[in-house]
Amino acid sequence: MSPQLSGGLAGYGCRLLEGDARGMRQNPATGVSSPRPLQFHVITMPTPIGRSLLPRLLITLVIALVAALPFTAGLPGDFVFDDIPNIVNNDGLKLQKLDGESLIKIATAPQISGSLRTLPTLTFALDYWRSGHLDPAAFKSTNILIHALTACVLAWFFHALLLTAGVSVGRARWAAVALSLAWALHPLQVSSVLYIVQRMQTMGTLFLVLALLAYLQARRAHLAGRSGRTALLAAVLMWVVAMGCKEDSVLFPVYALALELTVLGFGAADASLARRLRRGYLVATLAGIVVYALVLVPSYWHWGAYPVRDFSSIERLLTQARVLCMYLWQIAVPMPSHMPFYYDWLQPSRGLLQPWTTLPSVLAVLALVVLAWRLRARWPLFSLGLLLFFAAHLITSNVIGLELAFEHRNHFALIGAVLALGSLLARAATAMQMRVWTQAVICVAILAVLCGGLVMRARDWVAPYAFAVASTKLAPSSGRAWFGLCLLQMETGGGAVADNPRLDQAIDACGSGAEAAPYALNSLAMLVVLKTVRGDISPGDWARFQERLETVSMNWENQRAPLAFSQHFRNGVALDKQQMMRAFATLSRRASIAPFNSASLGYFIMDDLHEPDQAMPYFLIAVGSANPLDPFPWQLADELKEKNRPDLAAEIMRHVSATRGAGETAVQAGD
């Protein structure tokens, strides 16, 4: 980057908003002195419509192509992980006819992953319609297009931002291109773009950047003495659209506040508007703190472990310090080997020194936040970058009981990190009196390294087997990675059948996963299934599974593992009946099984294992949670009578009467 850019970064406090309040102004008529009004010297941005439009459009096209082409190395790939429930198994988005009624039906249908993700779901439906089937390449090509568009919009945002910070027009244009490409080509973006379901995140980022660009243009108009009303309305509209993509888009006001604290300084040519801005943001900030303290924390705080998690709120907050430092390391040192797709191997922090990296990580995060605050006037773009990075993680690194880490959470946060790192590089270039061409060569070299790392990661997504193998190499302690490889080997060879040519490879993968991930059950459960198919299952294999079932944390994945036995048994795998019954009993004792799953287990034990007496505990759980209008208890009682077990039918009805009678008594007492 150029010396002018670095000078703009360093000299913000003297040049951006030079408030002329060095003395008092005296009224010659009255002789009374009063404070001199602030004078704002604003560098105006040339209008984008004019003789420079064509070169800008050409540069924008180049940005789009450079941002998109490296990701094609990951085509066609396959659907993975959350793609399966949200897209593959979601019949509601399989659009057969393109008309208004069909689109409205899809838009208004309940969304599996969240009620505020309507727009990405509509685009999934359109991808299905244009390809005629579930074609991963068609879905991924749309993701790549969205990424390219975001890179273009981001370049325009950076351009306006750098101009506001006092950088010359020419320098700002090329610095904006470099920054936007550094964001677009970072290897960390691979899992956001090629992981199809993360379109919810990437579309949210696109409209957030559009909202920030509109907001920045409105505020530049205020600095120049114009109204900026149209741009403000556009910012609000883009924010609303972003909210229709991903819930964390609610953080837009926080990003706008970061702009005000650094580059904009709540300034305006109209002093009364400047005061209203300061007061408005102060009130909004205090309101946000109150909502957080009185609503969010009480709603989500858990002194003990979250449901289906193995960590408490305190442990989650401690762990997030390590996670944020890990993200920063991945961004600053963008080697593909630092970026595994799976993060289930990441263990929670149980204290400030468990593991020992927790305390240094907490101190590092606090130091960076304090540094951003202290340097917000001297190094505004560096501070803005840090504030945007941490603000982007305010939801995912807070008290809500989400999984500990995912790469796509950095899709917007990477904008801030790139800005902060770019400003540091610019200052270093100035300090070393580096020539412009030398800076340009270094910039191109950095982009080339990023692009190379991106292509290397993207190639791992080109086919399911390549992805599965790469995942186990990058995350050798990940239970999900090994289980994914095991399932792929099994399904590629024809399923859990004795003549599967890949049966041995599948068993080896499950065995490796069972050893590498002692916190997980899936690989060990599948190892029992596949060794039963091969005919060499031993009592020791079952004993190992039962022992682990008694000790592991009962998260949602571990709860599902024993339930898989019923499916494979129904498909012809001769699993040991008594061992399955023991596993189900342990599961029921150690975890709160959902009523539907409990009823399913009961039916499996009654109909497939022919043990109606053993099925009763699971049926009682299900009927005790049934809605009063649900006919399930009476249907179950009729089925038990048909099996010549009127005694069990009577027990079901007694249980229903007792639980509902107790509920009615409690309601009456409450009245």
Side-chain angles (χ1 to χ4, degrees), residues 78 483-496 500 502 506 526 530 567-568:
D78 200 4
F483 184 60
L485 179 59
C486 175
L487 285 183
L488 181 65
Q489 297 281 20
M490 181 189 74
E491 293 168 357
T492 303
N500 187 326
R502 293 185 175 231
M526 187 55 63
L530 295 180
Q567 176 187 352
H568 290 290

Side-chain angles (χ1 to χ4, degrees), residues 563 566 570 594-606 608 618-619 622 632:
L563 300 177
S566 61
R570 284 170 173 157
F596 177 82
N597 289 336
S598 186
S600 298
L601 269 180
Y603 275 113
F604 172 71
I605 295 171
M606 180 175 70
D608 297 273
Y618 306 97
F619 283 141
F632 167 66

Side-chain angles (χ1 to χ4, degrees), residues 218-297:
R219 295 289 292 113
R220 287 171 60 81
H222 295 159
L223 292 170
R226 302 190 302 273
S227 72
R229 186 179 298 110
T230 302
L232 274 180
L233 290 174
V236 173
L237 176 61
M238 290 299 100
W239 180 29
V240 171
V241 176
M243 288 290 292
C245 300
K246 191 74 180 287
E247 293 83 352
D248 58 7
S249 298
V250 72
L251 292 171
F252 169 72
V254 183
Y255 305 146
L257 174 61
L259 277 171
E260 296 292 348
L261 288 171
T262 54
V263 174
L264 295 172
F266 303 99
D270 182 350
S272 64
L273 175 59
R275 287 194 297 271
R276 291 198 301 271
L277 280 169
R278 290 186 178 91
R279 291 171 182 171
Y281 273 103
L282 177 60
V283 170
T285 301
L286 293 176
I289 293 173
V290 169
V291 170
Y292 174 77
L294 300 183
V295 178
L296 291 180
V297 172

Side-chain angles (χ1 to χ4, degrees), residues 448-656:
V449 170
L450 292 174
C451 186
L454 189 153
V455 171
M456 289 176 60
R457 287 202 80 197
R459 285 177 177 170
D460 291 338
W461 291 69
V462 72
Y465 185 73
F467 176 80
V469 172
S471 296
T472 59
K473 290 180 179 178
L474 293 172
S477 299
S478 169
R480 290 176 184 169
W482 285 108
F483 184 60
L485 179 59
C486 175
L487 285 183
L488 181 65
Q489 297 281 20
M490 181 189 74
E491 293 168 357
T492 303
V497 292
D499 59 351
N500 187 326
R502 293 185 175 231
L503 184 59
D504 291 341
Q505 292 94 321
I507 289 175
D508 290 342
C510 280
S512 298
E515 291 290 340
Y519 56 85
L521 280 174
N522 278 327
S523 289
L524 197 53
M526 187 55 63
L527 185 66
V528 167
V529 171
L530 295 180
K531 293 189 77 171
T532 300
V533 170
R534 195 168 64 179
D536 59 348
I537 186 71
S538 69
D541 295 320
W542 272 110
R544 185 183 178 195
F545 175 82
Q546 302 288 7
E547 180 181 357
R548 186 172 295 185
L549 180 59
E550 289 278 3
T551 57
V552 295
S553 170
M554 296 310 296
N555 57 39
W556 65 274
E557 287 183 293
N558 286 339
Q559 288 185 27
R560 291 192 310 172
L563 300 177
F565 290 147
S566 61
Q567 176 187 352
H568 290 290
F569 186 87
R570 284 170 173 157
N571 289 337
V573 180
L575 293 165
D576 187 286
K577 184 170 74 171
Q578 295 304 319
Q579 293 284 5
M580 283 192 291
M581 299 274 284
R582 178 183 170 190
F584 298 151
T586 303
L587 174 64
S588 180
R589 174 168 47 82
R590 297 204 60 219
S592 298
I593 308 176
F596 177 82
N597 289 336
S598 186
S600 298
L601 269 180
Y603 275 113
F604 172 71
I605 295 171
M606 180 175 70
D607 295 336
D608 297 273
L609 301 185
H610 309 293
E611 295 285 351
D613 292 284
Q614 300 296 326
M616 285 301 293
Y618 306 97
F619 283 141
L620 294 177
I621 293 174
V623 299
S625 305
N627 186 289
L629 300 179
D630 190 342
F632 167 66
W634 288 268
Q635 294 172 353
L636 176 59
D638 290 339
E639 292 178 44
L640 289 169
K641 291 175 184 177
E642 292 175 1
K643 294 181 178 294
N644 296 319
R645 294 302 304 267
D647 54 327
L648 298 182
E651 185 177 350
I652 290 290
M653 298 316 299
R654 282 196 301 271
H655 187 73
V656 171

Side-chain angles (χ1 to χ4, degrees), residues 141 283 424:
S141 63
V283 170
L424 287 180

Side-chain angles (χ1 to χ4, degrees), residues 331-412:
I331 292 169
V333 187
M335 296 177 62
S337 59
H338 296 165
M339 304 173 192
F341 174 73
Y342 294 108
Y343 290 87
D344 56 307
W345 49 269
L346 185 66
Q347 295 302 302
S349 294
R350 306 301 181 185
L352 284 173
L353 296 175
Q354 296 178 345
W356 70 267
T357 52
T358 304
L359 180 58
S361 298
V362 171
L363 295 176
V365 170
L366 292 176
L368 287 174
V369 173
V370 172
L371 188 66
W373 180 259
R374 295 290 300 273
L375 296 178
R376 67 189 188 281
R378 292 172 53 202
W379 297 4
L381 293 182
F382 173 74
S383 294
L384 175 60
L386 286 180
L387 291 177
L388 288 178
F389 174 82
F390 287 115
H393 291 288
L394 275 178
I395 293 177
T396 56
S397 292
N398 219 295
V399 297
I400 301 176
L402 304 171
E403 292 205 40
L404 295 176
F406 273 125
E407 289 176 8
H408 65 262
R409 294 174 183 172
N410 288 287
H411 193 255
F412 182 90

